[in-house]
Amino acid sequence: MKNALLLLKEFEKLGYLAYIVGGSVRDYLLKSESFDIDIATSATPDEVMKHFKSSPIGIKYGTVLVFFNDEEFEVTTFRKDLEYFDNRHPYGVLFSKTIKEDVARRDFTINGMYLDNEFNVVDLVGGKDDLEKRLIRSIGNPDERFREDALRMLRAFYLVSKLDFEIEEETLKSIIRNKELIKNVSAERIYREISKIISYDNSLKALDLMVQTGIYLYLPGLHQGIKYIVDNHILLSGEYFFAMCFYKNSKVDKFWKLSNKEKLTYQKVIEFLNHKGEIDNNLLYQYDYEDIIIVAKLNNYLNVFDINEYDMIKMYHKLPIKRDSDLDISNKKIINIIGIEPGPWLSDLKKEITNMILSGKLYNKEEDIKEFILKRKDKYEK
Ligand code: ATP
Ligand code: MG
């Protein structure tokens, strides 16, 4: 905060208006920590870049990242958004010289306050009042604001999760009316906001409201999971949350832009949880540690397998081998013992060795494995 205030003074010396704005003012008034400090100024992006060490990060929307006293600040020129199209993009922005226009494009009253370098709060939208009443209220007409950018509806739930506030009645009714518009927002933006929602203490309250408003039905592949999580009061964040949702959905929904690795993990978790029968070493061996910790946690709630989280992870750690390369014998040595050209027989034999080791009938020691191979030589020579 100290450096941010010093930066405001620098802007003032240069003859510009500058304020700390948005979430950082909200968090400051709530005496909670802000991770990022946003600054709004009357200086244009070119002017900001001329005077400060900076890099343009969202120049189209007037945002420049300023490096000041070893800290980074997102500095955005006061602006007025032109009309929005497709519920997510303005046709363009116009820079302006006053906060009166700048505040009108912000989402909620509690995010619409400005702090000057002497700690005066400039509040043109009743943000302080709503902060005291612990209310999330759209600035202006909520229907219009959600039609402009439908992601704002999810931002309301994010604020519920983070602050334990209520959504003001008209704003909430408007979300119910406009919920379908969330379909027009990109998967990346929705995913980011949902990840934020589930990372805070009051995520269940937020998810419950998402069920009540019906907006959860428009989140591809997540709605069965969200309903289950809410009905059973389950606190899950990050990949545990998404894994539970995709399991309840029986598959990963293609809508989400996941990396191949993430997709594979979720698929493996679903496959594991759908396994019929007992858990044994052979089953565990087919999965990675990352898969196991998710399965073990979800199983606490799902009770698919009769084993607790701790014991399942312990069982995985105790596997005598965890992957092919853990075998205490090289392919070359196996081939030498059998004495024929490598072929499909090699993987068959290795599978046999692996099974013996996993079921505790053979030690993973080269000498023991050699002895076993010699006994099986007849089968593979032919
Ligand atoms: P966080 O605690 O996650 O930083 P935040 O409210 O500060 O929450 P930011 O993404 O940092 O969120 O945005 C900073 C400010 O920009 C907000 O407080 C709000 O005033 C405005 N803002 C952000 N996203 C939108 C949006 N989609 N529509 C309108 N205003 C927005
Ligand atoms: Mg912020």
mmCIF file with all atom_site columns, all heavy atoms in Angstrom, residues 22-24 26-27 36 38 105-107 111 145 149 152 155 158 162 189 196, ligand 1:
data_model
loop_
_atom_site.group_PDB
_atom_site.id
_atom_site.type_symbol
_atom_site.label_atom_id
_atom_site.label_alt_id
_atom_site.label_comp_id
_atom_site.label_asym_id
_atom_site.label_entity_id
_atom_site.label_seq_id
_atom_site.pdbx_PDB_ins_code
_atom_site.Cartn_x
_atom_site.Cartn_y
_atom_site.Cartn_z
_atom_site.occupancy
_atom_site.B_iso_or_equiv
_atom_site.pdbx_formal_charge
_atom_site.auth_seq_id
_atom_site.auth_comp_id
_atom_site.auth_asym_id
_atom_site.auth_atom_id
_atom_site.pdbx_PDB_model_num
ATOM   1   N N   . GLY A 1 22  ? -11.137 -0.001  -6.939  1.00 0.00 ? 22  GLY A N   1
ATOM   2   C CA  . GLY A 1 22  ? -11.666 -1.364  -7.093  1.00 0.00 ? 22  GLY A CA  1
ATOM   3   C C   . GLY A 1 22  ? -11.441 -2.235  -5.874  1.00 0.00 ? 22  GLY A C   1
ATOM   4   O O   . GLY A 1 22  ? -11.516 -1.780  -4.732  1.00 0.00 ? 22  GLY A O   1
ATOM   5   N N   . GLY A 1 23  ? -11.121 -3.497  -6.157  1.00 0.00 ? 23  GLY A N   1
ATOM   6   C CA  . GLY A 1 23  ? -10.984 -4.496  -5.089  1.00 0.00 ? 23  GLY A CA  1
ATOM   7   C C   . GLY A 1 23  ? -9.992  -4.096  -4.012  1.00 0.00 ? 23  GLY A C   1
ATOM   8   O O   . GLY A 1 23  ? -10.168 -4.441  -2.835  1.00 0.00 ? 23  GLY A O   1
ATOM   9   N N   . SER A 1 24  ? -8.958  -3.350  -4.398  1.00 0.00 ? 24  SER A N   1
ATOM   10  C CA  . SER A 1 24  ? -7.958  -2.994  -3.386  1.00 0.00 ? 24  SER A CA  1
ATOM   11  C C   . SER A 1 24  ? -8.513  -2.006  -2.359  1.00 0.00 ? 24  SER A C   1
ATOM   12  O O   . SER A 1 24  ? -8.139  -2.062  -1.185  1.00 0.00 ? 24  SER A O   1
ATOM   13  C CB  . SER A 1 24  ? -6.682  -2.446  -4.039  1.00 0.00 ? 24  SER A CB  1
ATOM   14  O OG  . SER A 1 24  ? -6.784  -2.318  -5.413  1.00 0.00 ? 24  SER A OG  1
ATOM   15  N N   . ARG A 1 26  ? -11.767 -1.811  -1.572  1.00 0.00 ? 26  ARG A N   1
ATOM   16  C CA  . ARG A 1 26  ? -12.710 -2.668  -0.833  1.00 0.00 ? 26  ARG A CA  1
ATOM   17  C C   . ARG A 1 26  ? -11.957 -3.440  0.260   1.00 0.00 ? 26  ARG A C   1
ATOM   18  O O   . ARG A 1 26  ? -12.339 -3.419  1.428   1.00 0.00 ? 26  ARG A O   1
ATOM   19  C CB  . ARG A 1 26  ? -13.357 -3.627  -1.844  1.00 0.00 ? 26  ARG A CB  1
ATOM   20  C CG  . ARG A 1 26  ? -14.261 -4.684  -1.261  1.00 0.00 ? 26  ARG A CG  1
ATOM   21  C CD  . ARG A 1 26  ? -14.468 -5.794  -2.291  1.00 0.00 ? 26  ARG A CD  1
ATOM   22  N NE  . ARG A 1 26  ? -13.283 -6.631  -2.419  1.00 0.00 ? 26  ARG A NE  1
ATOM   23  C CZ  . ARG A 1 26  ? -12.874 -7.189  -3.556  1.00 0.00 ? 26  ARG A CZ  1
ATOM   24  N NH1 . ARG A 1 26  ? -13.526 -6.991  -4.683  1.00 0.00 ? 26  ARG A NH1 1
ATOM   25  N NH2 . ARG A 1 26  ? -11.799 -7.953  -3.564  1.00 0.00 ? 26  ARG A NH2 1
ATOM   26  N N   . ASP A 1 27  ? -10.871 -4.096  -0.127  1.00 0.00 ? 27  ASP A N   1
ATOM   27  C CA  . ASP A 1 27  ? -10.124 -4.909  0.839   1.00 0.00 ? 27  ASP A CA  1
ATOM   28  C C   . ASP A 1 27  ? -9.471  -4.037  1.907   1.00 0.00 ? 27  ASP A C   1
ATOM   29  O O   . ASP A 1 27  ? -9.401  -4.422  3.071   1.00 0.00 ? 27  ASP A O   1
ATOM   30  C CB  . ASP A 1 27  ? -9.063  -5.748  0.112   1.00 0.00 ? 27  ASP A CB  1
ATOM   31  C CG  . ASP A 1 27  ? -9.696  -6.821  -0.773  1.00 0.00 ? 27  ASP A CG  1
ATOM   32  O OD1 . ASP A 1 27  ? -10.899 -7.123  -0.566  1.00 0.00 ? 27  ASP A OD1 1
ATOM   33  O OD2 . ASP A 1 27  ? -9.015  -7.338  -1.677  1.00 0.00 ? 27  ASP A OD2 1
ATOM   34  N N   . ASP A 1 36  ? -3.333  -7.699  -5.410  1.00 0.00 ? 36  ASP A N   1
ATOM   35  C CA  . ASP A 1 36  ? -2.919  -6.766  -6.455  1.00 0.00 ? 36  ASP A CA  1
ATOM   36  C C   . ASP A 1 36  ? -3.542  -5.405  -6.169  1.00 0.00 ? 36  ASP A C   1
ATOM   37  O O   . ASP A 1 36  ? -4.636  -5.309  -5.632  1.00 0.00 ? 36  ASP A O   1
ATOM   38  C CB  . ASP A 1 36  ? -3.363  -7.280  -7.830  1.00 0.00 ? 36  ASP A CB  1
ATOM   39  C CG  . ASP A 1 36  ? -4.859  -7.541  -7.894  1.00 0.00 ? 36  ASP A CG  1
ATOM   40  O OD1 . ASP A 1 36  ? -5.502  -7.593  -6.819  1.00 0.00 ? 36  ASP A OD1 1
ATOM   41  O OD2 . ASP A 1 36  ? -5.399  -7.681  -9.000  1.00 0.00 ? 36  ASP A OD2 1
ATOM   42  N N   . ASP A 1 38  ? -4.815  -2.029  -7.919  1.00 0.00 ? 38  ASP A N   1
ATOM   43  C CA  . ASP A 1 38  ? -5.151  -1.388  -9.188  1.00 0.00 ? 38  ASP A CA  1
ATOM   44  C C   . ASP A 1 38  ? -5.209  0.118   -9.002  1.00 0.00 ? 38  ASP A C   1
ATOM   45  O O   . ASP A 1 38  ? -5.705  0.607   -7.990  1.00 0.00 ? 38  ASP A O   1
ATOM   46  C CB  . ASP A 1 38  ? -6.494  -1.902  -9.697  1.00 0.00 ? 38  ASP A CB  1
ATOM   47  C CG  . ASP A 1 38  ? -6.435  -3.386  -10.006 1.00 0.00 ? 38  ASP A CG  1
ATOM   48  O OD1 . ASP A 1 38  ? -5.548  -3.777  -10.778 1.00 0.00 ? 38  ASP A OD1 1
ATOM   49  O OD2 . ASP A 1 38  ? -7.239  -4.149  -9.452  1.00 0.00 ? 38  ASP A OD2 1
ATOM   50  N N   . ARG A 1 105 ? -18.472 2.067   -15.407 1.00 0.00 ? 105 ARG A N   1
ATOM   51  C CA  . ARG A 1 105 ? -18.191 0.823   -16.122 1.00 0.00 ? 105 ARG A CA  1
ATOM   52  C C   . ARG A 1 105 ? -17.760 -0.296  -15.182 1.00 0.00 ? 105 ARG A C   1
ATOM   53  O O   . ARG A 1 105 ? -17.513 -1.416  -15.592 1.00 0.00 ? 105 ARG A O   1
ATOM   54  C CB  . ARG A 1 105 ? -17.139 1.066   -17.198 1.00 0.00 ? 105 ARG A CB  1
ATOM   55  C CG  . ARG A 1 105 ? -15.791 1.530   -16.626 1.00 0.00 ? 105 ARG A CG  1
ATOM   56  C CD  . ARG A 1 105 ? -14.669 0.664   -17.068 1.00 0.00 ? 105 ARG A CD  1
ATOM   57  N NE  . ARG A 1 105 ? -13.384 1.055   -16.526 1.00 0.00 ? 105 ARG A NE  1
ATOM   58  C CZ  . ARG A 1 105 ? -12.541 0.168   -15.987 1.00 0.00 ? 105 ARG A CZ  1
ATOM   59  N NH1 . ARG A 1 105 ? -12.876 -1.090  -15.898 1.00 0.00 ? 105 ARG A NH1 1
ATOM   60  N NH2 . ARG A 1 105 ? -11.374 0.572   -15.541 1.00 0.00 ? 105 ARG A NH2 1
ATOM   61  N N   . ARG A 1 106 ? -17.649 -0.008  -13.897 1.00 0.00 ? 106 ARG A N   1
ATOM   62  C CA  . ARG A 1 106 ? -17.227 -1.031  -12.931 1.00 0.00 ? 106 ARG A CA  1
ATOM   63  C C   . ARG A 1 106 ? -18.412 -1.885  -12.496 1.00 0.00 ? 106 ARG A C   1
ATOM   64  O O   . ARG A 1 106 ? -19.563 -1.492  -12.678 1.00 0.00 ? 106 ARG A O   1
ATOM   65  C CB  . ARG A 1 106 ? -16.522 -0.378  -11.741 1.00 0.00 ? 106 ARG A CB  1
ATOM   66  C CG  . ARG A 1 106 ? -15.243 0.299   -12.198 1.00 0.00 ? 106 ARG A CG  1
ATOM   67  C CD  . ARG A 1 106 ? -14.375 0.841   -11.117 1.00 0.00 ? 106 ARG A CD  1
ATOM   68  N NE  . ARG A 1 106 ? -13.200 1.446   -11.747 1.00 0.00 ? 106 ARG A NE  1
ATOM   69  C CZ  . ARG A 1 106 ? -12.080 0.778   -12.029 1.00 0.00 ? 106 ARG A CZ  1
ATOM   70  N NH1 . ARG A 1 106 ? -11.974 -0.492  -11.709 1.00 0.00 ? 106 ARG A NH1 1
ATOM   71  N NH2 . ARG A 1 106 ? -11.086 1.384   -12.633 1.00 0.00 ? 106 ARG A NH2 1
ATOM   72  N N   . ASP A 1 107 ? -18.121 -3.049  -11.940 1.00 0.00 ? 107 ASP A N   1
ATOM   73  C CA  . ASP A 1 107 ? -19.218 -4.002  -11.741 1.00 0.00 ? 107 ASP A CA  1
ATOM   74  C C   . ASP A 1 107 ? -20.126 -3.737  -10.537 1.00 0.00 ? 107 ASP A C   1
ATOM   75  O O   . ASP A 1 107 ? -21.325 -3.547  -10.688 1.00 0.00 ? 107 ASP A O   1
ATOM   76  C CB  . ASP A 1 107 ? -18.686 -5.448  -11.732 1.00 0.00 ? 107 ASP A CB  1
ATOM   77  C CG  . ASP A 1 107 ? -17.477 -5.641  -10.811 1.00 0.00 ? 107 ASP A CG  1
ATOM   78  O OD1 . ASP A 1 107 ? -17.129 -4.704  -10.065 1.00 0.00 ? 107 ASP A OD1 1
ATOM   79  O OD2 . ASP A 1 107 ? -16.885 -6.741  -10.835 1.00 0.00 ? 107 ASP A OD2 1
ATOM   80  N N   . ASN A 1 111 ? -16.935 -2.364  -5.363  1.00 0.00 ? 111 ASN A N   1
ATOM   81  C CA  . ASN A 1 111 ? -15.713 -2.315  -6.177  1.00 0.00 ? 111 ASN A CA  1
ATOM   82  C C   . ASN A 1 111 ? -15.576 -0.973  -6.888  1.00 0.00 ? 111 ASN A C   1
ATOM   83  O O   . ASN A 1 111 ? -14.741 -0.821  -7.777  1.00 0.00 ? 111 ASN A O   1
ATOM   84  C CB  . ASN A 1 111 ? -15.747 -3.406  -7.257  1.00 0.00 ? 111 ASN A CB  1
ATOM   85  C CG  . ASN A 1 111 ? -15.504 -4.780  -6.674  1.00 0.00 ? 111 ASN A CG  1
ATOM   86  O OD1 . ASN A 1 111 ? -15.001 -4.896  -5.577  1.00 0.00 ? 111 ASN A OD1 1
ATOM   87  N ND2 . ASN A 1 111 ? -15.877 -5.801  -7.425  1.00 0.00 ? 111 ASN A ND2 1
ATOM   88  N N   . ARG A 1 145 ? -26.067 -4.274  -17.008 1.00 0.00 ? 145 ARG A N   1
ATOM   89  C CA  . ARG A 1 145 ? -24.671 -4.590  -16.679 1.00 0.00 ? 145 ARG A CA  1
ATOM   90  C C   . ARG A 1 145 ? -24.327 -6.056  -16.963 1.00 0.00 ? 145 ARG A C   1
ATOM   91  O O   . ARG A 1 145 ? -23.239 -6.364  -17.410 1.00 0.00 ? 145 ARG A O   1
ATOM   92  C CB  . ARG A 1 145 ? -24.375 -4.255  -15.205 1.00 0.00 ? 145 ARG A CB  1
ATOM   93  C CG  . ARG A 1 145 ? -24.682 -2.799  -14.805 1.00 0.00 ? 145 ARG A CG  1
ATOM   94  C CD  . ARG A 1 145 ? -24.166 -1.750  -15.776 1.00 0.00 ? 145 ARG A CD  1
ATOM   95  N NE  . ARG A 1 145 ? -22.784 -1.907  -16.138 1.00 0.00 ? 145 ARG A NE  1
ATOM   96  C CZ  . ARG A 1 145 ? -21.741 -1.576  -15.366 1.00 0.00 ? 145 ARG A CZ  1
ATOM   97  N NH1 . ARG A 1 145 ? -21.934 -1.044  -14.197 1.00 0.00 ? 145 ARG A NH1 1
ATOM   98  N NH2 . ARG A 1 145 ? -20.523 -1.758  -15.796 1.00 0.00 ? 145 ARG A NH2 1
ATOM   99  N N   . ASP A 1 149 ? -21.644 -7.635  -19.861 1.00 0.00 ? 149 ASP A N   1
ATOM   100 C CA  . ASP A 1 149 ? -20.607 -8.637  -19.605 1.00 0.00 ? 149 ASP A CA  1
ATOM   101 C C   . ASP A 1 149 ? -21.180 -9.662  -18.628 1.00 0.00 ? 149 ASP A C   1
ATOM   102 O O   . ASP A 1 149 ? -21.312 -9.408  -17.436 1.00 0.00 ? 149 ASP A O   1
ATOM   103 C CB  . ASP A 1 149 ? -19.360 -7.969  -19.004 1.00 0.00 ? 149 ASP A CB  1
ATOM   104 C CG  . ASP A 1 149 ? -18.245 -8.976  -18.706 1.00 0.00 ? 149 ASP A CG  1
ATOM   105 O OD1 . ASP A 1 149 ? -18.425 -10.176 -19.007 1.00 0.00 ? 149 ASP A OD1 1
ATOM   106 O OD2 . ASP A 1 149 ? -17.202 -8.546  -18.166 1.00 0.00 ? 149 ASP A OD2 1
ATOM   107 N N   . ARG A 1 152 ? -19.838 -10.958 -15.115 1.00 0.00 ? 152 ARG A N   1
ATOM   108 C CA  . ARG A 1 152 ? -20.082 -10.243 -13.854 1.00 0.00 ? 152 ARG A CA  1
ATOM   109 C C   . ARG A 1 152 ? -20.980 -11.048 -12.918 1.00 0.00 ? 152 ARG A C   1
ATOM   110 O O   . ARG A 1 152 ? -20.861 -10.932 -11.700 1.00 0.00 ? 152 ARG A O   1
ATOM   111 C CB  . ARG A 1 152 ? -20.717 -8.880  -14.140 1.00 0.00 ? 152 ARG A CB  1
ATOM   112 C CG  . ARG A 1 152 ? -19.721 -7.909  -14.759 1.00 0.00 ? 152 ARG A CG  1
ATOM   113 C CD  . ARG A 1 152 ? -20.377 -6.617  -15.208 1.00 0.00 ? 152 ARG A CD  1
ATOM   114 N NE  . ARG A 1 152 ? -19.404 -5.820  -15.944 1.00 0.00 ? 152 ARG A NE  1
ATOM   115 C CZ  . ARG A 1 152 ? -19.715 -4.951  -16.897 1.00 0.00 ? 152 ARG A CZ  1
ATOM   116 N NH1 . ARG A 1 152 ? -20.980 -4.755  -17.229 1.00 0.00 ? 152 ARG A NH1 1
ATOM   117 N NH2 . ARG A 1 152 ? -18.765 -4.276  -17.518 1.00 0.00 ? 152 ARG A NH2 1
ATOM   118 N N   . ARG A 1 155 ? -18.772 -13.129 -11.067 1.00 0.00 ? 155 ARG A N   1
ATOM   119 C CA  . ARG A 1 155 ? -17.986 -12.301 -10.132 1.00 0.00 ? 155 ARG A CA  1
ATOM   120 C C   . ARG A 1 155 ? -18.783 -12.020 -8.853  1.00 0.00 ? 155 ARG A C   1
ATOM   121 O O   . ARG A 1 155 ? -18.216 -11.917 -7.771  1.00 0.00 ? 155 ARG A O   1
ATOM   122 C CB  . ARG A 1 155 ? -17.541 -10.995 -10.806 1.00 0.00 ? 155 ARG A CB  1
ATOM   123 C CG  . ARG A 1 155 ? -16.330 -11.221 -11.723 1.00 0.00 ? 155 ARG A CG  1
ATOM   124 C CD  . ARG A 1 155 ? -15.742 -9.937  -12.298 1.00 0.00 ? 155 ARG A CD  1
ATOM   125 N NE  . ARG A 1 155 ? -15.490 -8.847  -11.379 1.00 0.00 ? 155 ARG A NE  1
ATOM   126 C CZ  . ARG A 1 155 ? -14.389 -8.701  -10.620 1.00 0.00 ? 155 ARG A CZ  1
ATOM   127 N NH1 . ARG A 1 155 ? -13.438 -9.590  -10.686 1.00 0.00 ? 155 ARG A NH1 1
ATOM   128 N NH2 . ARG A 1 155 ? -14.246 -7.651  -9.834  1.00 0.00 ? 155 ARG A NH2 1
ATOM   129 N N   . TYR A 1 158 ? -18.280 -14.971 -6.781  1.00 0.00 ? 158 TYR A N   1
ATOM   130 C CA  . TYR A 1 158 ? -16.907 -14.969 -6.271  1.00 0.00 ? 158 TYR A CA  1
ATOM   131 C C   . TYR A 1 158 ? -16.812 -14.069 -5.031  1.00 0.00 ? 158 TYR A C   1
ATOM   132 O O   . TYR A 1 158 ? -16.179 -14.416 -4.037  1.00 0.00 ? 158 TYR A O   1
ATOM   133 C CB  . TYR A 1 158 ? -15.947 -14.513 -7.385  1.00 0.00 ? 158 TYR A CB  1
ATOM   134 C CG  . TYR A 1 158 ? -14.699 -13.834 -6.906  1.00 0.00 ? 158 TYR A CG  1
ATOM   135 C CD1 . TYR A 1 158 ? -13.782 -14.510 -6.104  1.00 0.00 ? 158 TYR A CD1 1
ATOM   136 C CD2 . TYR A 1 158 ? -14.439 -12.504 -7.226  1.00 0.00 ? 158 TYR A CD2 1
ATOM   137 C CE1 . TYR A 1 158 ? -12.642 -13.875 -5.644  1.00 0.00 ? 158 TYR A CE1 1
ATOM   138 C CE2 . TYR A 1 158 ? -13.307 -11.868 -6.771  1.00 0.00 ? 158 TYR A CE2 1
ATOM   139 C CZ  . TYR A 1 158 ? -12.413 -12.558 -5.980  1.00 0.00 ? 158 TYR A CZ  1
ATOM   140 O OH  . TYR A 1 158 ? -11.296 -11.927 -5.523  1.00 0.00 ? 158 TYR A OH  1
ATOM   141 N N   . LYS A 1 162 ? -15.664 -15.039 -1.276  1.00 0.00 ? 162 LYS A N   1
ATOM   142 C CA  . LYS A 1 162 ? -14.524 -14.400 -0.645  1.00 0.00 ? 162 LYS A CA  1
ATOM   143 C C   . LYS A 1 162 ? -14.916 -13.610 0.607   1.00 0.00 ? 162 LYS A C   1
ATOM   144 O O   . LYS A 1 162 ? -14.212 -13.617 1.599   1.00 0.00 ? 162 LYS A O   1
ATOM   145 C CB  . LYS A 1 162 ? -13.843 -13.476 -1.661  1.00 0.00 ? 162 LYS A CB  1
ATOM   146 C CG  . LYS A 1 162 ? -12.653 -12.739 -1.109  1.00 0.00 ? 162 LYS A CG  1
ATOM   147 C CD  . LYS A 1 162 ? -11.834 -12.057 -2.185  1.00 0.00 ? 162 LYS A CD  1
ATOM   148 C CE  . LYS A 1 162 ? -10.821 -11.134 -1.540  1.00 0.00 ? 162 LYS A CE  1
ATOM   149 N NZ  . LYS A 1 162 ? -9.750  -10.738 -2.426  1.00 0.00 ? 162 LYS A NZ  1
ATOM   150 N N   . ARG A 1 189 ? -12.411 -17.676 -19.240 1.00 0.00 ? 189 ARG A N   1
ATOM   151 C CA  . ARG A 1 189 ? -12.841 -16.696 -18.233 1.00 0.00 ? 189 ARG A CA  1
ATOM   152 C C   . ARG A 1 189 ? -13.723 -17.354 -17.175 1.00 0.00 ? 189 ARG A C   1
ATOM   153 O O   . ARG A 1 189 ? -13.605 -17.081 -15.989 1.00 0.00 ? 189 ARG A O   1
ATOM   154 C CB  . ARG A 1 189 ? -13.596 -15.526 -18.885 1.00 0.00 ? 189 ARG A CB  1
ATOM   155 C CG  . ARG A 1 189 ? -12.697 -14.555 -19.655 1.00 0.00 ? 189 ARG A CG  1
ATOM   156 C CD  . ARG A 1 189 ? -13.535 -13.424 -20.245 1.00 0.00 ? 189 ARG A CD  1
ATOM   157 N NE  . ARG A 1 189 ? -13.760 -12.309 -19.331 1.00 0.00 ? 189 ARG A NE  1
ATOM   158 C CZ  . ARG A 1 189 ? -14.796 -11.475 -19.405 1.00 0.00 ? 189 ARG A CZ  1
ATOM   159 N NH1 . ARG A 1 189 ? -15.719 -11.637 -20.339 1.00 0.00 ? 189 ARG A NH1 1
ATOM   160 N NH2 . ARG A 1 189 ? -14.919 -10.484 -18.547 1.00 0.00 ? 189 ARG A NH2 1
ATOM   161 N N   . LYS A 1 196 ? -11.640 -19.319 -8.715  1.00 0.00 ? 196 LYS A N   1
ATOM   162 C CA  . LYS A 1 196 ? -11.593 -18.353 -7.622  1.00 0.00 ? 196 LYS A CA  1
ATOM   163 C C   . LYS A 1 196 ? -12.729 -18.625 -6.627  1.00 0.00 ? 196 LYS A C   1
ATOM   164 O O   . LYS A 1 196 ? -12.512 -18.619 -5.417  1.00 0.00 ? 196 LYS A O   1
ATOM   165 C CB  . LYS A 1 196 ? -11.705 -16.919 -8.164  1.00 0.00 ? 196 LYS A CB  1
ATOM   166 C CG  . LYS A 1 196 ? -10.378 -16.396 -8.764  1.00 0.00 ? 196 LYS A CG  1
ATOM   167 C CD  . LYS A 1 196 ? -10.580 -15.176 -9.650  1.00 0.00 ? 196 LYS A CD  1
ATOM   168 C CE  . LYS A 1 196 ? -10.878 -13.909 -8.869  1.00 0.00 ? 196 LYS A CE  1
ATOM   169 N NZ  . LYS A 1 196 ? -11.128 -12.734 -9.758  1.00 0.00 ? 196 LYS A NZ  1
HETATM 170 P P1  . ATP B 2 .   ? -9.583  -9.600  -6.541  1.00 0.00 ? 1   ATP B P1  1
HETATM 171 O O1  . ATP B 2 .   ? -9.710  -9.603  -5.070  1.00 0.00 ? 1   ATP B O1  1
HETATM 172 O O2  . ATP B 2 .   ? -9.680  -10.966 -7.126  1.00 0.00 ? 1   ATP B O2  1
HETATM 173 O O3  . ATP B 2 .   ? -8.412  -8.830  -7.081  1.00 0.00 ? 1   ATP B O3  1
HETATM 174 P P2  . ATP B 2 .   ? -11.093 -7.484  -7.737  1.00 0.00 ? 1   ATP B P2  1
HETATM 175 O O4  . ATP B 2 .   ? -12.503 -7.046  -7.484  1.00 0.00 ? 1   ATP B O4  1
HETATM 176 O O5  . ATP B 2 .   ? -10.005 -6.554  -7.359  1.00 0.00 ? 1   ATP B O5  1
HETATM 177 O O6  . ATP B 2 .   ? -10.907 -8.876  -7.023  1.00 0.00 ? 1   ATP B O6  1
HETATM 178 P P3  . ATP B 2 .   ? -9.911  -7.443  -10.327 1.00 0.00 ? 1   ATP B P3  1
HETATM 179 O O7  . ATP B 2 .   ? -10.015 -8.467  -11.397 1.00 0.00 ? 1   ATP B O7  1
HETATM 180 O O8  . ATP B 2 .   ? -8.602  -7.177  -9.680  1.00 0.00 ? 1   ATP B O8  1
HETATM 181 O O9  . ATP B 2 .   ? -10.993 -7.886  -9.235  1.00 0.00 ? 1   ATP B O9  1
HETATM 182 O O10 . ATP B 2 .   ? -10.508 -6.111  -10.928 1.00 0.00 ? 1   ATP B O10 1
HETATM 183 C C1  . ATP B 2 .   ? -10.271 -4.842  -10.370 1.00 0.00 ? 1   ATP B C1  1
HETATM 184 C C2  . ATP B 2 .   ? -11.509 -3.952  -10.490 1.00 0.00 ? 1   ATP B C2  1
HETATM 185 O O11 . ATP B 2 .   ? -11.885 -3.821  -11.870 1.00 0.00 ? 1   ATP B O11 1
HETATM 186 C C3  . ATP B 2 .   ? -12.758 -4.512  -9.814  1.00 0.00 ? 1   ATP B C3  1
HETATM 187 O O12 . ATP B 2 .   ? -12.781 -4.268  -8.443  1.00 0.00 ? 1   ATP B O12 1
HETATM 188 C C4  . ATP B 2 .   ? -13.848 -3.801  -10.583 1.00 0.00 ? 1   ATP B C4  1
HETATM 189 O O13 . ATP B 2 .   ? -13.980 -2.462  -10.165 1.00 0.00 ? 1   ATP B O13 1
HETATM 190 C C5  . ATP B 2 .   ? -13.299 -3.805  -11.991 1.00 0.00 ? 1   ATP B C5  1
HETATM 191 N N1  . ATP B 2 .   ? -13.716 -5.003  -12.762 1.00 0.00 ? 1   ATP B N1  1
HETATM 192 C C6  . ATP B 2 .   ? -13.062 -6.181  -12.880 1.00 0.00 ? 1   ATP B C6  1
HETATM 193 N N2  . ATP B 2 .   ? -13.719 -7.025  -13.684 1.00 0.00 ? 1   ATP B N2  1
HETATM 194 C C7  . ATP B 2 .   ? -14.807 -6.363  -14.130 1.00 0.00 ? 1   ATP B C7  1
HETATM 195 C C8  . ATP B 2 .   ? -15.879 -6.667  -15.015 1.00 0.00 ? 1   ATP B C8  1
HETATM 196 N N3  . ATP B 2 .   ? -15.967 -7.869  -15.599 1.00 0.00 ? 1   ATP B N3  1
HETATM 197 N N4  . ATP B 2 .   ? -16.818 -5.712  -15.233 1.00 0.00 ? 1   ATP B N4  1
HETATM 198 C C9  . ATP B 2 .   ? -16.732 -4.495  -14.634 1.00 0.00 ? 1   ATP B C9  1
HETATM 199 N N5  . ATP B 2 .   ? -15.749 -4.146  -13.807 1.00 0.00 ? 1   ATP B N5  1
HETATM 200 C C10 . ATP B 2 .   ? -14.798 -5.054  -13.546 1.00 0.00 ? 1   ATP B C10 1
#
